[in-house]
Structures are given as C-alpha cells and as structure tokens.
Amino acid sequence: MRAFAGYLVLLLATPLAALAVILPANVYRAQGIAALDCDGPLQVLIFAVPAVLIYGAGAVLAYRAGRRFHRIVSLLCLIIALATFPNIAEAMRELCRSAAAGECVG
C-alpha cells in the first residue's frame, strides 16, 4: 500500500514536472521579442522546484527499495528531475538579468 501511495504521488506530479520542463523563463524571448519578463522566472521556479524535490525523493526512495522494477522507476524519476535543471538555470539567469537591468524592481 505504501509503494502504491508513492507511485500515485509521482503520477499526480507528472503535470507539474511537464510544466516545469516546458515553460519558458522569458515568454517574450520565446516569441522573439527582446524584452524583460519580470514574472516568467518565478512562474518556472514555482513548478520546477517542487518537481525536482518530488522526483528527486522518488528516485532515492525507489532506488533504496532494491528491486528491478523500483530501479527502473528510480531511473525515470532521476531523468525527470534532471530534465528540469536547464530550465531552472535559465530562470535563474533571467532573474539575474532582470536584477542587473533594475527594471523589475517593485
């Protein structure tokens, strides 16, 4: 029952991870406009940080279970968690870029 609950959490977090991977850090640059996007990086981080935490924990816990199926699930969780890191890095660069420009100060 415990493993089923863990897999259910991973399954329910799939849309969260998909949004963390797909959303651009700067919507304007994704459209080809050279402008600062003050909301974009935080929108990415809101989805990406929980996805990394959930799938990172899922990878560790599934790997510790030791069976072949759990190791496969652990590998899939690790791939999903690592897929979000480029988007997190881009969001952090965009935050630094907007802070350096000084235009997104509230």
Side-chain angles (χ1 to χ4, degrees):
M1 185 67 180
R2 204 164 142 207
F4 177 74
Y7 292 134
L8 185 63
V9 169
L10 292 174
L11 185 65
L12 291 175
T14 304
L16 181 75
L19 285 173
V21 172
I22 301 173
L23 285 176
N26 188 332
V27 178
Y28 299 121
R29 282 206 186 124
Q31 295 174 0
I33 303 168
L36 287 176
D37 186 8
C38 297
D39 298 340
L42 294 178
Q43 289 175 356
V44 169
L45 293 175
I46 284 174
F47 293 116
V49 172
V52 166
L53 293 176
I54 290 169
Y55 282 98
V60 169
L61 293 175
Y63 186 78
R64 285 181 34 192
R67 292 190 177 153
R68 185 176 186 188
F69 175 73
H70 295 297
R71 299 267 167 107
I72 293 170
V73 170
S74 173
L75 180 65
L76 290 174
C77 287
L78 185 64
I79 289 170
I80 292 171
L82 290 177
T84 60
F85 278 111
N87 215 7
I88 291 173
E90 182 62 32
M92 294 307 294
R93 266 185 260 147
E94 192 65 34
L95 278 174
C96 292
R97 206 177 288 143
S98 64
E103 293 183 18
C104 291
V105 178

XYZ file of all heavy atoms in Angstrom:
778
model
N 0.827 -1.199 0.000
C 0.000 0.000 0.000
C 0.870 1.261 0.000
O 0.529 2.245 -0.615
C -0.914 -0.046 1.233
C -1.895 1.069 1.284
S -3.063 0.860 -0.053
C -4.083 2.245 0.185
N 1.993 1.183 0.718
C 2.886 2.330 0.805
C 3.527 2.650 -0.540
O 3.661 3.804 -0.922
C 3.956 2.010 1.839
C 4.578 3.178 2.464
C 5.298 2.713 3.713
N 6.520 3.447 3.835
C 7.597 3.025 4.433
N 7.594 1.819 4.955
N 8.642 3.771 4.524
N 3.918 1.588 -1.265
C 4.509 1.793 -2.583
C 3.479 2.358 -3.547
O 3.795 3.218 -4.372
C 5.073 0.486 -3.124
N 2.244 1.907 -3.432
C 1.172 2.422 -4.288
C 0.958 3.914 -4.056
O 0.781 4.676 -5.007
C -0.128 1.656 -4.018
C -1.292 2.175 -4.805
C -1.395 1.917 -6.165
C -2.271 2.933 -4.186
C -2.463 2.405 -6.890
C -3.339 3.427 -4.898
C -3.438 3.159 -6.262
N 1.005 4.344 -2.805
C 0.852 5.767 -2.491
C 2.004 6.577 -3.063
O 1.804 7.679 -3.587
C 0.755 5.969 -0.980
N 3.201 6.038 -3.007
C 4.361 6.720 -3.578
C 4.253 6.860 -5.081
O 4.547 7.915 -5.653
N 3.825 5.791 -5.740
C 3.654 5.852 -7.188
C 2.509 6.776 -7.576
O 2.556 7.428 -8.618
C 3.440 4.460 -7.768
C 4.664 3.603 -7.675
C 4.590 2.300 -7.222
C 5.908 4.100 -8.030
C 5.716 1.514 -7.133
C 7.044 3.332 -7.932
C 6.930 2.033 -7.486
O 8.061 1.270 -7.395
N 1.491 6.850 -6.747
C 0.377 7.765 -7.005
C 0.841 9.214 -6.916
O 0.464 10.052 -7.742
C -0.760 7.505 -6.016
C -2.034 8.309 -6.234
C -2.657 7.962 -7.575
C -3.021 8.039 -5.113
N 1.690 9.518 -5.950
C 2.248 10.872 -5.831
C 3.075 11.210 -7.065
O 2.970 12.305 -7.623
C 3.093 11.010 -4.545
C 3.894 12.293 -4.552
C 2.200 10.945 -3.319
N 3.899 10.275 -7.517
C 4.701 10.507 -8.711
C 3.823 10.689 -9.945
O 4.101 11.534 -10.798
C 5.674 9.352 -8.931
C 6.790 9.208 -7.916
C 7.591 7.940 -8.188
C 7.682 10.428 -7.919
N 2.773 9.923 -10.035
C 1.859 10.047 -11.165
C 1.117 11.376 -11.144
O 0.964 12.031 -12.181
C 0.871 8.880 -11.159
C -0.072 8.787 -12.344
C 0.732 8.508 -13.614
C -1.079 7.689 -12.118
N 0.687 11.808 -9.968
C -0.034 13.073 -9.864
C 0.883 14.281 -10.061
O 0.426 15.356 -10.431
C -0.733 13.174 -8.502
C -1.912 12.219 -8.302
C -2.435 12.334 -6.882
C -2.994 12.461 -9.311
N 2.183 14.110 -9.834
C 3.135 15.206 -10.018
C 3.637 15.310 -11.452
O 4.398 16.222 -11.772
C 4.313 15.028 -9.066
N 3.193 14.426 -12.328
C 3.646 14.449 -13.719
C 3.285 15.747 -14.432
O 4.133 16.317 -15.128
C 3.094 13.229 -14.480
O 3.488 12.055 -13.781
C 3.616 13.175 -15.895
N 2.059 16.279 -14.299
C 1.781 17.574 -14.951
C 2.646 18.704 -14.406
O 3.041 19.600 -15.152
C 0.302 17.829 -14.648
C -0.267 16.518 -14.325
C 0.846 15.710 -13.731
N 2.948 18.664 -13.135
C 3.825 19.658 -12.528
C 5.215 19.607 -13.168
O 5.784 20.639 -13.522
C 3.925 19.393 -11.023
C 4.769 20.329 -10.194
C 4.021 21.638 -10.005
C 5.068 19.691 -8.862
N 5.736 18.406 -13.347
C 7.051 18.249 -13.974
C 7.009 18.649 -15.443
O 7.963 19.238 -15.953
C 7.531 16.809 -13.832
N 5.913 18.354 -16.114
C 5.791 18.742 -17.521
C 5.798 20.262 -17.665
O 6.461 20.807 -18.551
C 4.525 18.152 -18.120
N 5.080 20.940 -16.797
C 5.086 22.408 -16.837
C 6.464 22.961 -16.485
O 6.891 23.974 -17.045
C 4.040 22.973 -15.881
C 2.595 22.869 -16.354
C 1.645 23.305 -15.247
C 2.375 23.689 -17.602
N 7.151 22.304 -15.579
C 8.492 22.764 -15.198
C 9.471 22.645 -16.351
O 10.387 23.443 -16.474
C 8.993 21.952 -14.006
N 9.278 21.677 -17.212
C 10.184 21.477 -18.334
C 9.794 22.348 -19.528
O 10.652 22.884 -20.219
C 10.215 19.984 -18.738
C 10.980 19.770 -20.020
C 10.810 19.150 -17.617
N 8.502 22.550 -19.747
C 8.031 23.216 -20.963
C 8.029 24.735 -20.862
O 8.353 25.416 -21.839
C 6.602 22.758 -21.306
C 6.542 21.258 -21.520
C 6.136 23.415 -22.596
C 5.141 20.755 -21.696
N 7.667 25.297 -19.713
C 7.505 26.747 -19.612
C 8.821 27.484 -19.874
O 9.856 27.125 -19.324
C 7.006 27.131 -18.217
C 5.552 26.852 -17.917
C 5.246 27.203 -16.475
C 4.650 27.639 -18.837
N 8.775 28.521 -20.693
C 9.994 29.309 -20.915
C 10.213 30.293 -19.769
O 9.260 30.794 -19.168
C 9.709 30.045 -22.224
C 8.227 30.175 -22.261
C 7.681 28.947 -21.580
N 11.471 30.591 -19.489
C 11.795 31.534 -18.417
C 11.462 32.960 -18.829
O 11.157 33.797 -17.985
C 13.260 31.426 -18.037
N 11.520 33.246 -20.118
C 11.160 34.566 -20.632
C 10.228 34.357 -21.816
O 10.649 33.941 -22.893
C 12.409 35.341 -21.064
C 12.097 36.776 -21.422
O 11.003 37.102 -21.837
N 13.070 37.643 -21.255
N 8.970 34.657 -21.605
C 7.955 34.442 -22.633
C 8.214 35.341 -23.840
O 7.998 34.938 -24.980
C 6.545 34.706 -22.046
C 5.481 34.548 -23.105
C 6.282 33.770 -20.891
N 8.695 36.528 -23.583
C 8.938 37.463 -24.685
C 10.063 36.965 -25.589
O 9.965 37.046 -26.811
C 9.273 38.853 -24.149
C 8.153 39.437 -23.325
C 8.348 39.794 -22.002
C 6.901 39.624 -23.865
C 7.329 40.328 -21.244
C 5.858 40.151 -23.116
C 6.079 40.503 -21.811
O 5.061 41.019 -21.069
N 11.132 36.461 -25.011
C 12.222 35.931 -25.834
C 11.785 34.691 -26.587
O 12.256 34.428 -27.684
C 13.433 35.596 -24.974
C 14.178 36.810 -24.634
C 15.628 36.558 -24.355
N 16.133 37.843 -23.902
C 16.733 38.048 -22.777
N 16.985 37.050 -21.985
N 17.114 39.251 -22.434
N 10.905 33.901 -26.006
C 10.391 32.726 -26.700
C 9.591 33.136 -27.934
O 9.529 32.391 -28.910
C 9.522 31.898 -25.755
N 8.999 34.333 -27.902
C 8.247 34.848 -29.044
C 9.124 35.649 -29.988
O 8.667 36.087 -31.031
C 7.105 35.736 -28.562
C 6.066 35.012 -27.775
C 5.028 35.953 -27.184
O 5.078 37.162 -27.364
N 4.077 35.385 -26.467
N 10.384 35.898 -29.618
C 11.293 36.637 -30.465
C 11.370 38.119 -30.154
O 11.916 38.892 -30.927
N 10.848 38.549 -29.015
C 10.868 39.946 -28.604
C 11.968 40.116 -27.559
O 12.033 39.367 -26.587
C 9.507 40.362 -28.012
C 8.390 40.110 -29.011
C 9.529 41.816 -27.580
C 6.994 40.219 -28.423
N 12.818 41.102 -27.730
C 13.913 41.337 -26.780
C 13.424 42.250 -25.658
O 13.620 43.454 -25.678
C 15.106 41.951 -27.487
N 12.768 41.658 -24.670
C 12.247 42.424 -23.539
C 12.405 41.608 -22.265
O 12.533 40.389 -22.302
C 10.772 42.758 -23.760
N 12.412 42.299 -21.141
C 12.482 41.623 -19.853
C 11.109 41.101 -19.465
O 10.096 41.749 -19.684
C 12.974 42.588 -18.777
C 14.437 42.970 -18.815
C 14.721 44.008 -17.745
C 15.311 41.764 -18.626
N 11.103 39.923 -18.872
C 9.872 39.332 -18.361
C 10.038 39.190 -16.858
O 10.794 38.361 -16.376
C 9.631 37.976 -19.006
C 8.297 37.369 -18.621
O 7.491 38.055 -17.974
O 8.057 36.211 -18.984
N 9.343 40.023 -16.118
C 9.516 40.038 -14.663
C 8.821 38.866 -13.974
O 9.207 38.475 -12.878
C 8.992 41.351 -14.095
S 9.904 42.776 -14.689
N 7.804 38.283 -14.589
C 7.056 37.195 -13.966
C 7.535 35.814 -14.390
O 7.343 34.851 -13.669
C 5.574 37.302 -14.319
C 4.950 38.582 -13.815
O 5.522 39.192 -12.902
O 3.895 38.966 -14.339
N 8.134 35.719 -15.549
C 8.474 34.429 -16.133
C 9.352 33.541 -15.282
O 9.029 32.361 -15.086
N 10.474 34.026 -14.756
C 11.345 33.139 -13.980
C 10.669 32.573 -12.725
O 10.849 31.403 -12.401
C 12.525 34.035 -13.602
C 12.536 35.096 -14.626
C 11.106 35.311 -15.008
N 9.884 33.382 -12.062
C 9.215 32.873 -10.860
C 8.138 31.859 -11.206
O 7.909 30.914 -10.452
C 8.635 34.035 -10.059
C 9.683 34.975 -9.465
C 9.010 36.127 -8.732
C 10.615 34.235 -8.547
N 7.481 32.031 -12.355
C 6.495 31.040 -12.781
C 7.147 29.707 -13.085
O 6.568 28.654 -12.826
C 5.741 31.547 -14.006
C 4.803 32.680 -13.695
C 4.160 33.239 -14.953
O 4.458 32.839 -16.061
N 3.265 34.180 -14.770
N 8.355 29.737 -13.622
C 9.082 28.497 -13.877
C 9.509 27.859 -12.559
O 9.347 26.661 -12.363
C 10.307 28.769 -14.777
C 11.212 27.560 -14.839
C 9.867 29.171 -16.161
N 10.043 28.662 -11.651
C 10.548 28.122 -10.387
C 9.437 27.574 -9.497
O 9.673 26.631 -8.735
C 11.350 29.192 -9.651
C 12.656 29.597 -10.321
C 13.304 30.741 -9.563
C 13.598 28.429 -10.436
N 8.241 28.140 -9.593
C 7.121 27.639 -8.799
C 6.803 26.192 -9.163
O 6.424 25.391 -8.311
C 5.878 28.538 -8.973
C 6.065 29.819 -8.181
C 4.605 27.833 -8.561
C 4.967 30.841 -8.391
N 6.972 25.837 -10.424
C 6.715 24.463 -10.849
C 7.961 23.590 -10.758
O 7.871 22.398 -10.474
C 6.195 24.444 -12.296
C 4.843 25.059 -12.445
C 4.671 26.197 -13.205
C 3.741 24.512 -11.826
C 3.431 26.774 -13.347
C 2.494 25.079 -11.954
C 2.332 26.212 -12.714
N 9.131 24.172 -11.013
C 10.345 23.366 -11.131
C 10.886 22.889 -9.788
O 11.316 21.742 -9.674
C 11.416 24.153 -11.878
N 10.880 23.737 -8.798
C 11.457 23.353 -7.506
C 10.678 22.200 -6.855
O 11.290 21.203 -6.433
C 11.591 24.580 -6.573
C 11.996 24.170 -5.178
C 12.595 25.567 -7.151
N 9.349 22.256 -6.783
C 8.642 21.083 -6.241
C 8.817 19.826 -7.091
O 8.902 18.722 -6.553
C 7.173 21.515 -6.225
C 7.190 22.980 -6.234
C 8.412 23.367 -6.991
N 8.904 19.984 -8.408
C 9.098 18.813 -9.268
C 10.445 18.158 -8.989
O 10.542 16.925 -8.911
C 8.994 19.213 -10.735
N 11.491 18.967 -8.820
C 12.808 18.400 -8.509
C 12.781 17.719 -7.144
O 13.340 16.625 -6.981
C 13.893 19.504 -8.552
C 15.177 19.038 -7.929
C 14.132 19.950 -9.979
N 12.132 18.332 -6.179
C 12.069 17.720 -4.848
C 11.283 16.410 -4.858
O 11.715 15.414 -4.268
C 11.454 18.699 -3.853
C 12.280 19.940 -3.533
C 11.502 20.863 -2.611
C 13.610 19.546 -2.912
N 10.149 16.400 -5.524
C 9.313 15.191 -5.553
C 10.015 14.069 -6.298
O 10.114 12.935 -5.808
C 7.939 15.502 -6.186
C 7.116 16.377 -5.254
C 7.186 14.213 -6.506
C 5.863 16.947 -5.884
N 10.510 14.362 -7.497
C 11.129 13.300 -8.289
C 12.522 12.931 -7.784
O 12.953 11.793 -7.954
C 11.145 13.682 -9.767
C 9.782 13.468 -10.377
C 8.894 14.513 -10.543
C 9.366 12.207 -10.753
C 7.639 14.313 -11.068
C 8.113 11.981 -11.274
C 7.253 13.039 -11.436
O 6.001 12.826 -11.941
N 13.217 13.860 -7.162
C 14.490 13.510 -6.536
C 14.286 12.560 -5.361
O 14.999 11.570 -5.215
N 13.295 12.875 -4.531
C 12.979 11.980 -3.414
C 12.462 10.639 -3.926
O 12.790 9.583 -3.372
C 11.942 12.629 -2.502
N 11.673 10.679 -4.988
C 11.182 9.438 -5.581
C 12.317 8.577 -6.109
O 12.292 7.347 -5.978
N 13.324 9.209 -6.700
C 14.471 8.457 -7.215
C 15.239 7.796 -6.083
O 15.620 6.623 -6.181
C 15.387 9.387 -8.010
N 15.453 8.524 -5.004
C 16.205 7.972 -3.878
C 15.426 6.854 -3.201
O 15.965 5.769 -2.931
C 16.547 9.089 -2.865
C 17.090 8.521 -1.576
C 17.519 10.070 -3.477
N 14.145 7.091 -2.949
C 13.350 6.081 -2.247
C 13.136 4.835 -3.093
O 13.161 3.708 -2.566
C 12.009 6.682 -1.829
C 12.104 7.773 -0.759
C 10.732 8.383 -0.504
C 12.696 7.224 0.525
N 12.924 5.006 -4.381
C 12.724 3.835 -5.237
C 14.024 3.053 -5.396
O 14.012 1.820 -5.449
C 12.196 4.265 -6.603
N 15.138 3.741 -5.447
C 16.422 3.048 -5.575
C 16.734 2.228 -4.326
O 17.287 1.129 -4.413
C 17.547 4.050 -5.840
C 18.863 3.399 -6.111
C 19.130 2.851 -7.358
C 19.840 3.305 -5.121
C 20.340 2.234 -7.612
C 21.047 2.695 -5.372
C 21.293 2.159 -6.620
O 22.493 1.545 -6.868
N 16.366 2.764 -3.181
C 16.629 2.055 -1.930
C 15.778 0.808 -1.781
O 16.113 -0.089 -1.005
C 16.408 2.980 -0.741
C 17.540 3.968 -0.610
C 17.400 4.897 0.543
N 16.767 4.338 1.717
C 16.341 5.031 2.748
N 16.487 6.341 2.723
N 15.796 4.465 3.776
N 14.658 0.727 -2.511
C 13.797 -0.452 -2.426
C 14.509 -1.685 -2.993
O 14.288 -2.794 -2.514
C 12.490 -0.214 -3.153
N 15.339 -1.485 -4.015
C 16.233 -2.537 -4.451
C 15.748 -3.492 -5.518
O 16.556 -4.190 -6.102
N 14.490 -3.571 -5.797
C 14.033 -4.499 -6.820
C 14.236 -3.913 -8.205
O 14.435 -2.712 -8.370
C 12.560 -4.822 -6.610
C 12.340 -5.613 -5.365
C 10.943 -6.109 -5.306
N 10.777 -6.927 -4.125
C 9.645 -7.100 -3.513
N 8.564 -6.503 -3.963
N 9.574 -7.860 -2.453
N 14.169 -4.744 -9.205
C 14.430 -4.309 -10.572
C 13.418 -3.254 -11.031
O 13.793 -2.249 -11.631
C 14.386 -5.517 -11.497
C 14.768 -5.190 -12.903
C 14.802 -6.429 -13.738
N 15.301 -6.121 -15.058
C 15.300 -6.970 -16.032
N 14.857 -8.192 -15.844
N 15.759 -6.629 -17.214
N 12.152 -3.460 -10.768
C 11.123 -2.503 -11.158
C 11.343 -1.162 -10.459
O 11.214 -0.108 -11.076
C 9.732 -3.056 -10.821
C 8.625 -2.080 -11.095
C 8.254 -1.802 -12.400
C 7.982 -1.424 -10.056
C 7.239 -0.896 -12.669
C 6.970 -0.525 -10.312
C 6.593 -0.262 -11.623
N 11.700 -1.206 -9.199
C 11.945 0.026 -8.450
C 13.171 0.766 -8.987
O 13.208 1.995 -8.994
C 12.117 -0.271 -6.966
C 10.887 -0.817 -6.315
N 9.717 -0.100 -6.215
C 10.642 -2.014 -5.733
C 8.807 -0.835 -5.595
N 9.346 -2.003 -5.300
N 14.171 0.020 -9.430
C 15.355 0.664 -10.014
C 15.013 1.362 -11.325
O 15.529 2.430 -11.624
C 16.466 -0.364 -10.245
C 16.945 -1.030 -8.988
C 18.125 -0.290 -8.412
N 18.408 -0.716 -7.062
C 19.428 -1.464 -6.717
N 20.271 -1.891 -7.627
N 19.618 -1.774 -5.451
N 14.121 0.769 -12.104
C 13.674 1.407 -13.348
C 12.897 2.678 -13.034
O 13.099 3.713 -13.668
C 12.845 0.421 -14.195
C 13.738 -0.708 -14.700
C 12.184 1.128 -15.375
C 12.985 -1.843 -15.341
N 12.027 2.609 -12.054
C 11.270 3.795 -11.634
C 12.225 4.861 -11.103
O 12.063 6.043 -11.377
C 10.210 3.416 -10.578
C 9.590 4.648 -9.946
C 9.140 2.549 -11.193
N 13.236 4.447 -10.380
C 14.234 5.383 -9.863
C 14.961 6.088 -11.006
O 15.186 7.299 -10.952
C 15.234 4.636 -8.990
O 16.282 5.474 -8.610
N 15.315 5.353 -12.039
C 15.976 5.943 -13.195
C 15.063 6.937 -13.905
O 15.502 8.025 -14.288
C 16.437 4.847 -14.157
C 17.148 5.312 -15.414
C 18.466 5.992 -15.048
C 17.388 4.147 -16.346
N 13.800 6.595 -14.059
C 12.843 7.516 -14.686
C 12.664 8.783 -13.852
O 12.605 9.895 -14.400
C 11.497 6.820 -14.894
C 11.480 5.733 -15.958
C 10.130 5.026 -15.964
C 11.785 6.301 -17.318
N 12.599 8.640 -12.547
C 12.483 9.810 -11.671
C 13.724 10.694 -11.774
O 13.620 11.920 -11.807
C 12.285 9.377 -10.218
S 10.670 8.711 -9.867
N 14.875 10.068 -11.846
C 16.119 10.824 -11.977
C 16.169 11.577 -13.310
O 16.574 12.739 -13.353
C 17.315 9.880 -11.849
C 18.677 10.533 -11.850
C 18.828 11.434 -10.630
C 19.752 9.478 -11.874
N 15.710 10.954 -14.371
C 15.682 11.614 -15.678
C 14.741 12.811 -15.650
O 15.071 13.883 -16.157
C 15.279 10.608 -16.775
C 16.414 9.625 -17.008
C 14.913 11.328 -18.072
C 16.037 8.449 -17.888
N 13.582 12.653 -15.040
C 12.622 13.760 -14.960
C 13.176 14.890 -14.105
O 13.064 16.067 -14.458
C 11.264 13.259 -14.414
C 10.605 12.342 -15.438
C 10.344 14.427 -14.081
C 9.374 11.632 -14.930
N 13.805 14.556 -12.985
C 14.371 15.595 -12.121
C 15.501 16.337 -12.825
O 15.606 17.561 -12.738
C 14.873 14.974 -10.815
N 16.347 15.617 -13.535
C 17.460 16.256 -14.241
C 16.999 17.060 -15.450
O 17.674 18.010 -15.847
C 18.485 15.206 -14.663
C 19.290 14.564 -13.537
C 20.206 13.483 -14.085
C 20.068 15.606 -12.757
N 15.850 16.712 -16.016
C 15.331 17.454 -17.170
C 14.873 18.855 -16.793
O 14.805 19.737 -17.651
C 14.184 16.680 -17.809
N 14.581 19.074 -15.532
C 14.128 20.401 -15.111
C 15.281 21.355 -14.831
O 15.073 22.568 -14.816
C 13.255 20.302 -13.846
O 14.013 19.722 -12.804
C 12.008 19.490 -14.102
N 16.490 20.844 -14.644
C 17.610 21.710 -14.279
C 17.989 22.739 -15.344
O 18.314 23.874 -14.986
C 18.830 20.890 -13.868
C 18.762 20.427 -12.440
C 18.593 19.101 -12.136
C 18.845 21.341 -11.406
C 18.517 18.673 -10.825
C 18.770 20.941 -10.080
C 18.601 19.599 -9.796
N 17.971 22.432 -16.639
C 18.269 23.500 -17.609
C 17.272 24.651 -17.543
O 17.652 25.826 -17.676
C 18.196 22.792 -18.961
C 18.446 21.374 -18.664
C 17.889 21.133 -17.297
N 16.011 24.351 -17.306
C 15.004 25.408 -17.195
C 15.184 26.206 -15.907
O 14.958 27.420 -15.884
C 13.605 24.806 -17.276
C 12.639 25.722 -17.980
O 13.023 26.748 -18.528
N 11.387 25.346 -17.968
N 15.602 25.552 -14.839
C 15.888 26.273 -13.595
C 17.080 27.201 -13.795
O 17.061 28.352 -13.350
C 16.140 25.278 -12.437
C 14.857 24.561 -12.059
C 16.731 25.982 -11.226
C 15.044 23.458 -11.049
N 18.108 26.713 -14.475
C 19.289 27.544 -14.730
C 18.925 28.750 -15.591
O 19.384 29.869 -15.334
C 20.370 26.716 -15.404
N 18.099 28.536 -16.598
C 17.673 29.656 -17.449
C 16.829 30.652 -16.659
O 16.962 31.862 -16.839
C 16.885 29.130 -18.650
C 16.444 30.198 -19.599
C 17.600 30.957 -20.243
O 18.662 30.361 -20.449
O 17.427 32.159 -20.523
N 15.988 30.166 -15.768
C 15.181 31.070 -14.935
C 16.068 31.882 -13.996
O 15.831 33.079 -13.794
C 14.154 30.272 -14.136
N 17.088 31.252 -13.442
C 17.996 31.991 -12.566
C 18.792 33.039 -13.343
O 18.998 34.152 -12.861
C 18.945 31.023 -11.848
C 18.242 30.090 -10.878
S 17.201 30.930 -9.677
C 18.421 31.804 -8.745
N 19.231 32.696 -14.568
C 19.913 33.683 -15.408
C 18.996 34.853 -15.735
O 19.415 35.999 -15.748
C 20.401 33.029 -16.698
C 21.816 32.551 -16.588
C 22.299 32.028 -17.899
N 22.158 30.571 -17.735
C 21.854 29.725 -18.683
N 21.656 30.115 -19.893
N 21.758 28.446 -18.428
N 17.748 34.547 -15.991
C 16.777 35.610 -16.306
C 16.518 36.494 -15.086
O 16.374 37.715 -15.221
C 15.476 34.978 -16.798
C 14.523 35.948 -17.414
C 15.053 36.572 -18.683
O 15.782 35.900 -19.436
O 14.748 37.755 -18.926
N 16.481 35.896 -13.904
C 16.331 36.699 -12.689
C 17.527 37.621 -12.493
O 17.366 38.791 -12.132
C 16.173 35.786 -11.466
C 14.795 35.241 -11.188
C 14.840 34.242 -10.046
C 13.829 36.350 -10.872
N 18.737 37.100 -12.720
C 19.940 37.942 -12.591
C 19.963 39.035 -13.646
O 20.367 40.158 -13.377
C 21.192 37.076 -12.691
S 21.412 35.981 -11.295
N 19.521 38.691 -14.851
C 19.482 39.669 -15.933
C 18.511 40.809 -15.608
O 18.801 41.971 -15.807
C 19.062 38.968 -17.226
C 19.536 39.624 -18.479
C 19.143 38.818 -19.697
N 19.954 37.604 -19.780
C 19.497 36.417 -20.192
N 18.243 36.282 -20.544
N 20.283 35.381 -20.253
N 17.352 40.465 -15.072
C 16.362 41.487 -14.745
C 16.801 42.303 -13.517
O 16.510 43.481 -13.423
C 14.985 40.879 -14.520
O 14.998 40.017 -13.404
N 17.516 41.658 -12.593
C 18.021 42.397 -11.431
C 19.117 43.354 -11.838
O 19.216 44.472 -11.299
C 18.517 41.431 -10.367
N 19.949 42.947 -12.787
C 21.025 43.817 -13.263
C 20.465 45.005 -14.031
O 21.003 46.110 -13.958
C 21.992 43.032 -14.128
N 19.392 44.783 -14.767
C 18.775 45.867 -15.519
C 18.039 46.828 -14.588
O 17.892 48.007 -14.888
C 17.834 45.321 -16.572
N 17.564 46.318 -13.468
C 16.894 47.157 -12.487
C 15.482 47.576 -12.861
O 14.888 48.420 -12.211
N 14.919 46.960 -13.886
C 13.588 47.368 -14.334
C 12.477 46.601 -13.644
O 11.337 47.018 -13.688
C 13.487 47.183 -15.844
C 14.393 48.132 -16.610
C 14.233 47.991 -18.093
O 13.223 47.428 -18.530
O 15.115 48.454 -18.819
N 12.769 45.490 -13.032
C 11.728 44.673 -12.416
C 11.626 44.888 -10.910
O 11.102 44.053 -10.195
C 11.984 43.197 -12.705
S 11.743 42.759 -14.432
N 12.150 45.982 -10.429
C 12.088 46.270 -9.005
C 10.693 46.797 -8.688
O 10.194 47.704 -9.334
C 13.176 47.294 -8.607
C 13.084 47.631 -7.144
C 14.540 46.770 -8.953
N 10.061 46.193 -7.686
C 8.676 46.501 -7.359
C 8.512 47.840 -6.782
O 7.552 48.446 -6.582
